[in-house]
Amino acid sequence: MKRIQTALQQDKKLLSIYFTAGYPNLEDTIPVLKSLEENGVDMVEIGLPFSDPLADGPTIQASSTEALKNGMTTDILFKQLEGIRHHISIPLIIMGYFNPVLQYGVEAFCKKCAEIGIDGLILPDLPLAEYNLHYRELFEKYNLANIFLITPQTSEERIREIDAASNGFIYMVSSASTTGATSGFAEEQISYFNRIDGLQLKNPQIVGFGINNAETFSQATQKAKGAIIGSAFIKALTKDGLTGISPFIKRLR
Amino acid sequence: MSYHVNEKGYYGEFGGAYIPEMLYPNVEELRQQYLDVMQEDSFQKEFKQLLKEYVGRPTPLYYAKRFSEKYNTNVYLKREDLCHTGAHKVNNTIGQILMAKRLGKNRIIAETGAGQHGVATATVCALMGIECIVYMGAIDMERQAPNVARMKMLGATVIPATSGSKTLKDATNEAIRDWINNPTDTHYIIGSVVGPHPYPDMVARFQSVISEEIKTQLQEKEGRENPDYVVACVGGGSNAAGAYYHYLDNPDVGIIAVEAAGKGIQSGESAATSALGKAGIIHGSKTLLMQTDDGQITEPYSISAGLDYPGVGPMHAHLCASGRGEFISITDAEAMEAGLELSKLEGIIPAIETSHALAIFKNRQFKKDDIIVINLSGRGDKDLNTYIDYFNL
């Protein structure tokens, strides 16, 4: 968690990349991570693939399906990540769905993350109320940030509740969409970015969904602390493999 | 112990609303309003009138004489197959379209497995003049072609789900994604007692007209409101929830839930969730779920598209885990034979889903004076091709 806070204190807009563990090949997880850090990415979300990812669009879903076909499991991901902190110093966040975490055992999962040096989790289908009631203590015990999402439809009252329960950053979904569904930001999104900025939340916001190039990255981070790129990065990986990482990142800023 | 939902949306340990934030406003709006809306006089009046005059309720409770003689007991069939559109599904879609109208929604989405829910949704959308989009697994579209044609005739857009097993689970994922992308003007009419709270409870309440009628009709015919057993097939479980509803907290009435074993529980091609599942999260609720040790959802299989689902509704998960319900699995072959048998004994061709419920008599003994109500959830017209292929008719 501390790495997230340190990263957020930097005087720059953070570039965070999402990628699916075990994609395009099972053994690519670590090479992708290393390449992202070498190319100046500030934070990484490691996608734990799930068979039925409700919040994802077709690109990320396809990468998850492929990763599962490659044989990726929670155990294998944890094994791949063992010792990662000897190589990688940027914050690492695991993004997945709640069922695989529940089957692993929520405490066992958190403990393993702490041992490896994972800084936080993004579990889009673990609701705030369930988290507060059953899991918050565990996350705190293992020093893991739980990153919540907000959308243009989230009420101010709920945003403030989410802000109070958050201890890293808030994942600001740019528009009402699954991942990878939009291109370019309309006036509506820009005014939403401004509105959230005006709420003076205690947690910084990082924008996700709909960011795919330097222009949208710049638009998204006018007010927010950073932005997350997922689908566009997966597309680059699909097209060019690991050699596509460096040129893709360089084009972003 | 109550087997109804509690104020937090749980049945025992099952239920809840495990949804991404993108769905929170929609689901929360529904949660806050559904009970109040359902209790409004104008809602009840319109709902009951449509059930009576449009759906054709009450459906008969028919004493199946030759079937009863064969199995040496007393079997009543609750004739949901006689509902408009051919299955119980329309009870719920009528209720939900009225709900959607009151919530100011002008676009409807739905998922469908066998196509019965899709047809029922397309029907009520036509009735109300509201746009309708139905997601259906690409494989289900092939095996339920007549229902696809019906939906199109009714003005609905049918979109194939091409991910995963290309069946009900995947159609549900696509419908949820559509809802995420269209959060303000769209109501999602879920067809079974699955999904995030309040859907399981709302759908069960709309379907509870079935058990309400059984009570009245059994009183007239037998001088008692309570049968010894109520039997229904369970995929997601909406017909079962409706048939059990008024009996849930009455231990004198046995509850029998029949699941699809497919080619056999241990064959790797099955949809018998109670036998193969464990607690997990699917489509927004915690329930019994067929999954790998790693928490990936298993592809289910059944010859009946309506039972081809890797989970069950949280009410059923609770009935199973608590022992209140007796869960039985029936193979494709047993179900097909039972469907043919009912056709020949009673002149009623059942949906293959329902045939699973009818098949339990081969192995499950009942007393001579027992009264058993089977919810005949749908008619077999849509399954004619499957029957033709199976029996070389």
Side-chain angles (χ1 to χ4, degrees):
Chain A
M1 186 147 77
K2 210 166 150 225
R3 287 183 206 91
I4 296 177
Q5 276 142 5
T6 309
L8 289 165
Q9 279 158 13
Q10 294 175 78
D11 187 23
K12 66 168 180 176
K13 302 296 186 183
L14 302 185
L15 169 62
S16 183
I17 293 286
Y18 167 94
F19 80 103
T20 306
Y23 180 83
N25 301 296
L26 183 63
E27 298 301 332
D28 285 341
T29 314
I30 301 302
V32 170
L33 268 176
K34 285 183 178 169
S35 178
L36 288 172
E37 178 163 82
E38 281 162 16
N39 281 286
V41 166
D42 302 301
M43 187 155 66
V44 176
E45 292 168 28
I46 304 167
L48 175 62
F50 183 51
S51 55
D52 295 76
L54 292 182
D56 289 328
T59 305
I60 291 180
Q61 182 178 21
S63 71
S64 291
T65 305
E66 195 61 31
L68 291 172
K69 267 192 211 151
N70 291 342
M72 182 50 81
T73 64
T74 310
D75 269 325
I76 290 175
L77 176 60
F78 282 149
K79 277 206 182 72
Q80 289 181 343
L81 292 175
E82 265 170 28
I84 192 70
R85 284 305 174 192
H86 298 307
H87 313 285
I88 302 273
S89 59
I90 54 173
L92 298 176
I93 294 166
I94 290 183
M95 180 165 187
Y97 289 80
F98 190 47
N99 196 48
V101 178
L102 194 63
Q103 300 312 319
Y104 195 88
V106 182
E107 174 147 24
F109 193 96
C110 290
K111 187 161 179 272
K112 197 76 192 173
C113 286
E115 284 166 12
I116 288 166
I118 298 295
D119 303 287
L121 298 177
I122 302 175
L123 303 167
D125 58 344
L126 172 59
L128 179 64
E130 294 292 332
Y131 172 71
N132 281 337
L133 202 59
H134 300 297
Y135 305 113
R136 188 169 177 164
E137 272 180 30
L138 276 181
F139 277 59
E140 284 170 0
K141 179 176 167 189
Y142 293 101
N143 210 19
L144 287 167
N146 187 27
I147 315 294
F148 290 102
L149 276 57
I150 63 169
T151 81
Q153 273 72 41
T154 310
S155 68
E156 182 178 338
E157 187 192 355
R158 187 164 165 84
I159 291 173
R160 299 218 177 268
E161 274 176 51
I162 286 169
D163 192 36
S166 299
N167 47 12
F169 60 89
I170 290 175
Y171 190 132
M172 199 166 127
V173 176
S174 65
S175 59
S177 68
T178 45
T179 57
T182 55
S183 60
F185 292 116
E187 198 50 43
E188 197 183 330
Q189 270 105 42
I190 303 292
S191 79
Y192 158 64
F193 298 161
N194 291 336
R195 176 167 63 88
I196 301 302
D197 184 51
L199 295 179
Q200 304 286 321
L201 303 176
K202 78 175 167 81
N203 289 279
Q205 301 97 52
I206 296 192
V207 180
F209 292 40
I211 297 136
N212 48 22
N213 55 25
E215 191 200 343
T216 42
F217 181 79
S218 162
Q219 275 183 313
T221 53
Q222 289 283 317
K223 304 283 182 178
K225 182 65 189 166
I228 302 163
I229 299 181
S231 298
F233 179 69
I234 299 285
K235 277 181 194 161
L237 266 185
T238 306
K239 188 164 161 272
D240 301 323
L242 272 56
T243 56
I245 296 176
S246 180
F248 178 85
I249 301 299
K250 288 200 167 77
R251 280 198 298 273
L252 291 172
R253 57 180 184 190
Chain B
M1 187 192 278
S2 172
Y3 296 92
H4 289 274
V5 76
N6 70 17
E7 72 281 4
K8 292 200 165 116
Y10 278 86
Y11 300 84
E13 64 166 305
F14 302 107
Y18 293 82
I19 46 169
E21 182 63 28
M22 295 81 110
L23 288 178
Y24 181 84
N26 307 43
V27 173
E28 182 62 12
E29 177 187 31
L30 194 60
R31 187 189 71 79
Q32 286 183 6
Q33 302 210 34
Y34 83 110
L35 289 176
D36 289 343
V37 170
M38 283 175 79
Q39 280 156 17
E40 281 169 15
D41 286 345
S42 68
F43 182 93
Q44 278 299 322
K45 197 176 160 205
E46 199 176 355
F47 181 52
K48 282 180 177 156
Q49 186 180 4
L50 284 169
L51 286 184
K52 185 177 171 205
E53 293 171 9
Y54 189 71
V55 174
R57 304 206 68 93
T59 57
L61 183 69
Y62 165 71
Y63 185 81
K65 187 161 173 287
R66 299 215 317 136
F67 193 87
S68 298
E69 274 169 15
K70 168 138 194 194
Y71 291 105
N72 202 25
T73 189
N74 301 290
V75 176
Y76 280 93
L77 301 175
K78 180 59 174 163
R79 298 289 310 273
E80 293 302 294
D81 59 317
L82 295 178
C83 287
H84 178 44
T85 72
H88 70 290
K89 293 286 187 183
V90 73
N91 303 325
N92 168 49
T93 60
I94 291 268
Q96 284 204 51
I97 200 80
L98 297 179
M99 180 71 64
K101 272 177 67 182
R102 279 159 175 80
L103 296 176
K105 308 293 180 182
N106 56 23
R107 181 174 176 272
I108 296 293
I109 53 171
E111 86 298 335
T112 196
Q116 292 301 93
H117 174 60
V119 169
T121 304
T123 299
V124 298
C125 287
L127 180 70
M128 298 294 170
I130 295 180
E131 184 189 3
C132 179
I133 290 108
V134 179
Y135 290 89
M136 187 168 188
I139 286 182
D140 291 341
M141 285 179 73
E142 281 173 31
R143 59 181 168 175
Q144 304 288 343
N147 272 342
V148 176
R150 282 186 190 106
M151 286 183 267
K152 288 180 177 170
M153 280 190 74
L154 293 160
T157 306
V158 185
I159 301 180
T162 54
S163 64
S165 55
K166 304 181 179 61
T167 60
L168 180 55
K169 163 179 86 76
D170 311 289
T172 309
N173 289 337
E174 290 305 321
I176 293 176
R177 284 204 188 104
D178 181 311
W179 208 20
I180 287 174
N181 288 305
N182 297 284
T184 49
D185 63 342
T186 299
H187 176 73
Y188 177 17
I189 299 191
I190 294 184
S192 194
V193 285
V194 302
H197 177 66
Y199 276 100
D201 185 48
M202 181 173 70
V203 176
R205 284 170 188 264
F206 286 138
Q207 292 293 358
S208 71
V209 64
I210 300 171
S211 61
E212 195 180 350
E213 286 176 8
I214 294 172
K215 286 182 90 163
T216 311
Q217 290 167 323
L218 210 56
Q219 180 68 43
E220 284 165 9
K221 289 171 195 299
E222 296 281 349
R224 54 190 265 202
E225 285 188 338
N226 301 332
D228 294 291
Y229 297 94
V230 187
V231 184
C233 61
V234 173
S238 71
N239 92 87
Y244 304 157
Y245 195 85
H246 286 85
Y247 299 119
L248 285 170
D249 293 335
N250 183 345
D252 292 341
V253 179
I255 284 174
I256 299 180
V258 188
E259 290 187 316
K263 294 181 180 169
I265 289 172
Q266 300 307 332
S267 68
E269 290 183 80
S270 178
T273 306
S274 65
L276 297 168
K278 58 183 173 165
I281 290 161
I282 184 170
H283 299 143
S285 71
K286 188 187 271 186
T287 188
L288 284 176
L289 170 61
M290 287 166 48
Q291 56 185 315
T292 65
D293 290 342
D294 204 38
Q296 308 295 339
I297 296 171
T298 307
E299 304 291 357
Y301 163 80
S302 165
I303 196 168
S304 62
L307 303 184
D308 200 350
Y309 186 69
V312 290
M315 174 202 283
H316 299 299
H318 182 46
L319 291 174
C320 182
S322 65
R324 170 72 182 97
E326 181 183 345
F327 280 68
I328 296 175
S329 304
I330 290 294
T331 63
D332 289 352
E334 290 169 321
M336 295 304 284
E337 292 296 340
L340 187 63
E341 180 181 75
L342 188 79
S343 305
K344 292 197 163 153
L345 284 175
E346 298 289 348
I348 298 168
I349 301 174
I352 299 173
E353 287 78 8
T354 313
S355 297
H356 285 73
L358 297 163
I360 65 167
F361 291 88
K362 292 272 189 249
N363 301 315
R364 173 71 166 80
Q365 300 299 316
F366 293 93
K367 293 195 212 101
K368 191 171 170 27
D369 60 354
D370 276 346
I371 292 176
I372 300 142
V373 175
I374 300 177
N375 198 34
L376 196 82
S377 54
R379 62 174 172 250
D381 308 31
K382 71 184 172 67
D383 295 316
L384 214 52
N385 277 337
T386 311
Y387 279 123
I388 289 168
D389 290 347
Y390 191 87
F391 292 113
N392 284 320
L393 300 171

